[in-house]
Structures are given as C-alpha cells and as structure tokens.
C-alpha cells in the first residue's frame, strides 16, 4: 500500500509541506509550470534548492506589487467557493482546498467569533494562503498515496505576534484544529505549526503516530522560507506499507447430541484459549437429523490446544482440518478523548480501504450513565 509519512518534528507550515512534497517529485519544473498556469491573480510560484543543515526545496509565493496595491486599496469581498471553482483544478483538488478552508473557518469562528473571521475579504495574507493550500492539494493529488500518516505535531511555545495582537502558542485557532491530535511543545520558542498547516494535516492525515512499518522509496525536505537561528524543515517519506496476509487453520466437527448450553460453553473455551474465532452452523446429518457444525479458527501454534478442547468439550469422534490464506486489514486501538471521557476506537486500514469503529462496551457504558441511546452518544462523539 502506497504510504506517505509526514514528519513534523522540526515544524510544519503550508509552504514547508509544499516544499517537502515537491522535493519527491521527479519533474519539479513541470509542477511549478502547472502552479503558475493557474494564473492566481498576481501570484507567481518559485522554488529553490537550498540547505539548512539538510538540502531540500524552498517554495515561495510571490505577489506582484500591483496586486498588493490593489488588495490594500480595494478590500475586495471574496466569494470563496466561486473563486476556487473558476480555477483550472480537478474536482478532487477543489474539494480538498474547500475542505481545508472550511476547517480554518470553523476554527476561527469558534475561537475568535464570527465577526473576526478572516475569509470575508481578499487580502495579501489570504491570497498567499490560498496559493500555498492549492499547491499542497495539487501535490497530494499527483502523489495519490493510499494512506497518509503524520507524526505528533510540535506546536512551539511562548507567544506570537498576529493581526489580532499577541497570542499564546499554539494560537487559539491552531489549538482548536488540533483537538484529539498528539502534540508536543517543540524544540524552540515561537510558532512551529501554523493554523493552515494544522488544517492541511487534519484534511489529509488519517493517523498521527510514529513512522509505520514501511519500505521507504523517497524522502523529501521542505525548508522554511524564513529560516533564522533555528533551522526548520518538514520531511516526508514515501514508500510501501505491506498489506497483511497470513495462514490460519479451521478445525471443525459435526455433532447432533449436545445441548445448546454445552455448545455455548465449548465455544467460550475455544475463545478463552486463544482461538481467532469460534462459531456454529446449522446442518442436517444422515437420516435427516438436525445437527450443529462447530468451527474454530486458529493459528498453527494453537492447533493442538484447540484439538484437545474440541475432544474434551464436544461429543465428536473426529475433527477435520483445513488451511486457509487470510487477508486482513491492519488494526490499531486508539484512545480518543471525548466529552464523555476516553473511548476506545478500532482503526483498520489496508488494501486501499480504511474504517473506524468505536468499542461497543465503551459506548454502552456511556449510554447507560447518560441515559442516552448509543446513536446519540456516537453523534456527540463524532461532532466533538
């Protein structure tokens, strides 16, 4: 499975992420041409090969003096959806761009109040942000990884000067976007993750963790355009994550002289001893007698134990064995902070598929404590 890992440990911004992704592209000049062909008003993309301890791509967005003057003088009202829809972007890229700005808008309206949202008027800062977000989304679309994973996010420390005055690091908007994401203080004073970068990570990354097991084929570095005393860069690793396959055994027998209670007890014994699964099927045996087929799935190392349990706790005189190749999704249990406390969630992925499911026992406990239905509990958790 083609996997992209975003290493944010030295900081992350939209420009640094764009540089890191550009750094793994085989034809960077063609990418720049594609960006500039969009003809974003007054915007020119450029990229340099530079070094801040490591060599990488440094992406810059230049806005013409004429455009800056026009923006400062006009305060042009922006219909953002229309602005993006008129660009020569694929539908997938347009959806990604709009989704990133929706995340930003929600955060700013939540923490600053609707009157302070920045996206009502087109200014120099917003135009630069739009260009950087489009660049990242186009690169993600070009690379098309099946799975995107990011490291814990360093937010920095101290304070930062913004258009809203001096704010703590992470800024309120960044902190809002990074809810339920692993974060750390970072290596230096100042802001190490911008709100725009946080929104991009939330849009694309399905998980935040250590580097997954993968065969790395390419590594890219995106350098900070304004590197000072402390070098900053974002690193991406592109490679293959092996999908999971293994071999399992099925042990089965047919019985027609056991009670339901006895069959249930035997199934529980299999599971307690480490069976992957144990279940029954309704069958008819000779002379049309109704009967039960008892099936146990297990690994090779557990076979002898399962055979012993099957002979001990069933009335069978013989056991069948079949071998199967099994394809499985990778599974991880994550502890998610919710308004009701920590809830376990099983995340599964592989073979181009991914899904998540909250643990039933945790949901049932909350539903009883809060006098809610499980569906109502899930609604609250998903909206938090």
């Amino acid at each position: 499975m083609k996997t992209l890992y975003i290493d944010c440990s030295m900081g992350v911004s939209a420009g640094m992420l764009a540089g890191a992704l550009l750094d793994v592209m085989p034809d960077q000049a063609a990418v720049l041409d594609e960006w500039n062909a969009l003809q974003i008003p007054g915007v020119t993309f450029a990229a340099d090969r530079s070094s801040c301890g490591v060599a990488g791509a440094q992406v810059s967005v230049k806005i013409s003096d004429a455009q800056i003057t026009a923006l400062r003088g006009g305060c042009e009202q922006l219909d953002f959806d229309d602005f993006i829809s008129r660009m020569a972007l694929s539908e997938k890229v347009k959806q990604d761009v709009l989704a990133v700005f929706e995340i930003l808008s929600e955060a700013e309206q939540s923490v600053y109040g609707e009157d302070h949202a920045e996206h009502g008027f087109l200014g120099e800062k917003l135009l630069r942000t739009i260009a950087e977000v489009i660049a990242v989304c186009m690169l993600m679309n070009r690379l098309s990884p099946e799975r995107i994973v990011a490291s814990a996010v360093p937010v920095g420390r101290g304070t930062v000067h913004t258009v809203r005055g001096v704010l703590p690091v992470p800024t309120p908007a960044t902190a809002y976007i990074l809810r339920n994401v692993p974060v750390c203080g970072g290596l230096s004073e100042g802001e190490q993750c911008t709100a725009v970068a946080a929104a991009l990570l939330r849009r694309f990354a399905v998980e935040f963790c250590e580097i997954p097991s993968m065969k790395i084929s390419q590594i890219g570095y995106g350098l900070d355009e304004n590197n000072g005393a402390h070098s900053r860069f974002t690193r991406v690793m592109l490679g293959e994550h092996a999908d999971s396959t293994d071999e399992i055994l099925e042990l089965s027998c047919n019985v027609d002289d056991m009670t339901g209670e006895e069959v249930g007890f035997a199934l529980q014994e299999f599971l307690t001893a480490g069976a992957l699964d144990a279940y029954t099927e309704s069958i008819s045996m000779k002379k049309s007698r109704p009967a039960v087929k008892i099936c146990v799935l297990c690994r090779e190392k557990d076979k002898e134990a399962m055979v012993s349990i099957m002979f001990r706790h069933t009335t069978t005189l013989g056991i069948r064995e079949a071998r199967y190749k099994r394809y499985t999704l990778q599974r991880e249990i994550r502890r998610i902070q919710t308004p009701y406390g920590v809830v376990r969630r099983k995340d599964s992925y592989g073979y181009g598929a991914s899904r998540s499911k909250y643990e039933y026992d945790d949901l049932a406990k909350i539903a009883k404590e809060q006098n809610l239905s499980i569906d109502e509990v899930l609604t609250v958790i998903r909206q938090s």
Side-chain angles (χ1 to χ4, degrees):
M1 177 170 54
K2 188 178 181 182
T3 298
L4 177 71
Y5 184 73
I6 304 172
D7 180 3
C8 310
S9 58
M10 297 291 288
V12 60
S13 68
M16 291 158 66
L17 182 55
L21 295 171
L22 180 65
D23 203 31
V24 299
M25 298 301 299
D27 190 347
Q28 297 181 18
V31 174
L32 283 170
D33 288 343
E34 187 177 2
W35 287 348
N36 287 315
L38 294 172
Q39 297 184 338
I40 302 173
V43 169
T44 302
F45 290 93
D48 296 313
R49 189 73 181 167
S50 187
S51 176
C52 64
V54 296
Q58 196 171 55
V59 170
S60 60
V61 174
K62 303 181 185 301
I63 302 177
S64 68
D65 292 339
Q67 184 64 33
I68 291 174
T69 300
L71 291 171
R72 290 175 178 173
C75 281
E76 179 185 344
Q77 182 72 35
L78 177 67
D79 183 335
F80 190 75
D81 287 6
D82 179 65
F83 186 86
I84 298 301
S85 68
R86 286 187 280 108
M87 291 189 183
L89 301 169
S90 70
E91 285 304 313
K92 175 65 170 62
V93 172
K94 288 180 182 178
Q95 290 173 11
D96 287 335
V97 172
L98 292 172
V100 169
F101 279 94
E102 181 63 31
I103 293 170
L104 281 168
S105 180
E106 178 190 333
E108 292 181 348
Q109 291 181 27
S110 175
V111 300
Y112 301 129
E114 191 166 357
D115 292 340
H116 297 286
E118 289 187 342
H119 303 315
F121 295 94
L122 180 62
E124 180 183 348
K125 179 183 176 183
L126 178 55
L127 184 59
R128 189 181 305 278
T129 299
I130 291 172
E132 291 177 340
V133 169
I134 288 175
V136 172
C137 292
M138 289 177 70
L139 286 168
M140 287 292 190
N141 190 56
R142 266 179 170 256
L143 290 170
S144 297
E146 297 172 81
R147 180 172 175 79
I148 301 173
V149 182
S151 68
V153 181
V155 293
R157 54 180 182 267
T159 58
V160 63
H161 292 270
T162 74
V163 293
R164 296 184 175 87
V166 178
L167 293 175
V169 173
T171 65
T174 303
Y176 182 91
I177 294 169
L178 293 177
R179 291 168 302 152
N180 298 322
V181 170
V183 299
C184 55
L187 301 176
S188 60
E189 291 289 322
E191 189 178 32
Q192 288 190 257
C193 176
T194 65
V196 180
L200 285 164
L201 292 173
R202 288 305 297 259
R203 172 59 179 174
F204 290 107
V206 298
E207 187 180 359
F208 295 82
C209 62
E210 297 295 327
I211 299 176
S213 175
M214 60 187 289
K215 293 181 179 179
I216 299 172
S217 58
Q218 294 172 278
I219 302 177
Y221 294 89
L223 309 187
D224 185 2
E225 191 177 3
N226 303 302
N227 265 312
H230 298 282
S231 297
R232 297 203 310 155
F233 57 82
T234 299
R235 176 170 60 180
V236 298
M237 301 178 183
L238 190 65
E240 288 292 327
H241 183 288
D243 291 317
S244 180
T245 63
D246 61 0
E247 189 175 79
I248 61 171
L249 304 179
E250 180 190 78
L251 304 175
S252 63
C253 65
N254 298 348
V255 296
D256 62 359
D257 54 354
M258 292 178 63
T259 66
E261 292 84 355
E262 290 171 330
V263 171
F265 182 81
L267 293 180
Q268 189 57 51
E269 289 296 295
F270 292 128
L271 295 172
T272 301
L276 297 171
D277 201 359
Y279 58 96
T280 63
E281 297 176 358
S282 296
I283 59 173
S284 294
M285 293 176 63
K286 57 187 177 183
K287 299 182 181 178
S288 299
R289 293 196 302 269
V292 173
K293 178 182 177 181
I294 300 175
C295 301
V296 178
L297 302 181
C298 68
R299 297 183 176 89
E300 177 73 38
K301 66 182 181 64
D302 298 319
K303 179 176 71 171
E304 295 304 321
M306 298 301 154
V307 168
S308 178
I309 292 171
M310 189 169 284
F311 278 129
R312 182 180 180 188
H313 293 291
T314 76
T315 57
T316 189
L317 301 178
I319 298 171
R320 298 180 297 275
E321 174 187 315
R323 292 180 180 270
Y324 295 99
K325 188 173 183 179
R326 182 174 67 150
Y327 299 86
T328 60
L329 297 181
Q330 299 285 337
R331 281 162 280 189
E332 298 170 358
I333 301 296
R334 297 185 61 195
R335 298 172 63 83
I336 307 299
Q337 188 65 45
T338 76
Y340 303 117
V342 174
V343 175
R344 291 170 297 166
R345 189 181 73 191
K346 182 184 291 183
D347 292 342
S348 306
Y349 56 89
Y351 299 98
S354 62
R355 57 180 65 99
S356 296
K357 184 177 181 180
Y358 290 95
E359 290 291 335
Y360 167 79
D361 290 344
D362 293 355
L363 297 178
K365 180 181 178 182
I366 293 169
K368 289 179 180 178
E369 291 174 348
Q370 302 294 325
N371 194 27
L372 298 170
S373 68
I374 288 179
D375 186 61
E376 289 171 326
V377 173
L378 275 172
T379 299
V380 173
I381 290 175
R382 287 167 178 163
Q383 291 177 347
S384 65

